[in-house]
Amino acid sequence: MKLQASYPDARPVRGIYVSGWVAGSANGLNRMLNIARNNDLNAMVIDVKNDFGKVTYASSLPEVKEIDSDSEPLIKDVDQMITTLKEQNIYLIGRVVVFRDPWLVHNKPQWAIYKKSGALWRDKKGTTWIDPYQQEVWDYNIAIAKEAAAKGFNEIQFDYVRFPENGAKMDQVVQYANSEQLTKSQAISRFLEKARSRIHEDGAKVSADVFGLVTSSSDDMGIGQTWSGVSRHVDTISPMTYPSHYSQGMYGIANPDLEPYAVINRALTDAGRRNEQLVKHGIHAARVRPWLQGFTASWIHPHQNYTSAQIKAQIQAAEDLGIQEFLIWDAQCRYDYEI
């Protein structure tokens, strides 16, 4: 069953993640270009605002300068990088990490998530988060996204566009700045709706990363992400369907990391069905472009090494459902992939 239309208007986007560190290194960027040139890849997802809340190039935005979030930029000449990649026909996706932002918490503590006791809330890794109900934070991230779009990024991809995990547990101890009494999914949807409208003004597309289980979950999993709430407000939705991230027995698969084709097939089948329901009711449904696993999850048992064979099995599972686009994730940008 084909769940996604063909692409008469443009090349299917097939890309890899490139960290700010790698993008800012001449050798690193050339290595990524060689991987793309030698394979069927035509896109790169490059950090614009990373997991630490740092903007990766020198910004001209006053709100960025106010808190020095572009201090020590990893990409010294972003304009030249964009020119170089576009000359090679690379589709540029700027990754903006939204609500996991310890730098912004440090400099604008009034926007953080707090416990009812008044203490800063931290996740299990000790990281502080921004309160997704804070609309000043929406504007801050949208401004950064718009600047990147104006510089030439073809698309802005929002990551960590969610509340922290273990939502039910944390909700018992935190106090959100939720004056409008929105649900979590309403807050995420409204942010994306506003962001898409503003970024389209600069001619760029908008995408959002969601947990892999969002394709199949019946609720927002406590993080504010529902398929309907996200898909209707972005151009492309990217579920992080990494087989290693699924629990044993999920979809009836004993050890998901060992069966990448089966995991992707089941997850994206559910995604397609949900998009079909949106379209049936006259609602916009985003193009599906899954994140695929390009790393070895050595911390789980049993696991396997993810080399070309495992990556291609995931790509095949998507293509068998009519989904020709994909992104490959490896935080270290060490891709063992050859067509």
Side-chain angles (χ1 to χ4, degrees):
M1 178 171 58
K2 299 296 184 182
L3 298 177
Q4 186 150 313
S6 59
Y7 304 86
D9 56 331
R11 302 171 298 163
V13 173
R14 303 160 77 95
I16 51 176
Y17 166 67
V18 179
S19 69
W21 287 275
V22 172
S25 158
N27 288 338
L29 193 62
N30 283 333
R31 181 164 55 87
M32 297 297 101
L33 271 171
N34 284 333
I35 292 172
R37 289 192 197 101
N38 295 331
N39 295 287
D40 56 347
L41 305 175
N42 59 13
M44 293 184 188
V45 180
I46 299 174
D47 284 336
V48 164
K49 174 169 168 271
N50 64 23
D51 302 61
F52 305 100
K54 299 302 291 290
V55 176
T56 58
Y57 58 83
S59 170
S60 61
L61 295 171
E63 51 267 67
V64 168
K65 294 301 185 184
E66 178 189 356
I67 62 172
D68 289 329
S69 49
D70 64 342
S71 59
E72 300 180 0
L74 297 169
I75 302 171
K76 301 303 182 185
D77 190 341
V78 69
D79 297 319
Q80 182 58 54
M81 182 200 75
I82 290 170
T83 297
T84 297
L85 293 176
K86 287 199 167 185
E87 286 174 349
Q88 298 295 321
N89 294 316
I90 298 295
Y91 182 82
L92 294 178
I93 304 172
R95 176 177 178 255
V96 175
V97 175
V98 185
F99 298 119
R100 185 186 187 273
D101 191 335
W103 186 264
L104 192 57
V105 169
H106 177 73
N107 289 279
K108 295 284 187 179
Q110 67 271 28
W111 293 345
I113 297 178
Y114 283 89
K115 294 181 181 179
K116 294 174 182 177
S117 66
L120 270 175
W121 180 87
R122 297 176 183 272
D123 65 20
K124 61 185 179 182
K125 294 183 179 179
T127 303
T128 53
W129 283 62
I130 288 294
D131 186 339
Y133 288 113
Q134 294 275 12
Q135 296 195 27
E136 295 93 340
V137 176
W138 300 5
D139 294 336
Y140 172 74
N141 282 279
I142 290 170
I144 293 169
K146 282 178 66 63
E147 182 180 55
K151 282 185 172 294
F153 281 90
N154 303 98
E155 177 177 316
I156 300 300
Q157 180 189 86
F158 291 113
D159 199 2
Y160 285 88
V161 58
R162 62 175 176 84
F163 288 73
E165 296 173 68
N166 301 315
K169 183 177 180 181
M170 74 172 287
D171 287 350
Q172 298 174 10
V173 300
V174 303
Q175 181 67 54
Y176 295 111
N178 185 15
S179 60
E180 295 185 58
Q181 299 302 303
L182 302 176
T183 65
K184 290 181 178 180
S185 60
Q186 285 173 332
I188 299 305
S189 292
R190 286 194 185 183
F191 165 73
L192 290 171
E193 182 179 24
K194 183 176 185 178
R196 184 187 184 208
S197 174
R198 296 293 312 283
I199 293 164
H200 277 186
E201 295 170 355
D202 296 283
K205 299 292 188 181
V206 175
S207 59
D209 298 336
V210 297
F211 275 8
L213 281 173
V214 170
T215 68
S216 307
S217 178
S218 59
D219 57 32
D220 75 346
M221 300 187 296
I223 63 172
Q225 289 183 344
T226 64
W227 189 268
S228 173
V230 175
S231 182
R232 68 177 64 199
H233 291 308
V234 295
D235 302 301
T236 298
I237 185 169
S238 292
M240 298 180 287
T241 50
Y242 312 130
S244 64
H245 284 34
Y246 290 83
S247 59
Q248 291 183 324
M250 182 67 190
Y251 298 133
I253 302 169
N255 297 297
D257 191 67
L258 304 185
E259 298 190 51
Y261 181 97
V263 172
I264 302 303
N265 176 272
R266 287 297 305 275
L268 295 186
T269 294
D270 286 353
R273 287 171 177 161
R274 292 197 160 177
N275 264 359
E276 286 178 341
Q277 287 301 307
L278 289 174
V279 173
K280 181 179 178 181
H281 290 91
I283 300 170
H284 164 83
R287 180 172 289 183
V288 179
R289 184 194 301 146
W291 275 108
L292 305 179
Q293 182 170 330
F295 57 90
T296 296
S298 56
W299 57 89
I300 66 170
H301 180 78
H303 71 272
Q304 63 177 324
N305 291 331
Y306 267 64
T307 59
S308 265
Q310 288 73 25
I311 294 171
K312 286 193 279 191
Q314 295 172 83
I315 294 170
Q316 189 63 57
E319 290 183 340
D320 286 350
L321 294 172
I323 297 173
Q324 302 173 51
E325 299 195 329
F326 61 82
L327 301 170
I328 307 172
W329 175 270
D330 178 6
Q332 303 300 317
C333 302
R334 298 171 182 165
Y335 298 100
D336 186 352
Y337 175 61
E338 293 181 359
I339 60 173

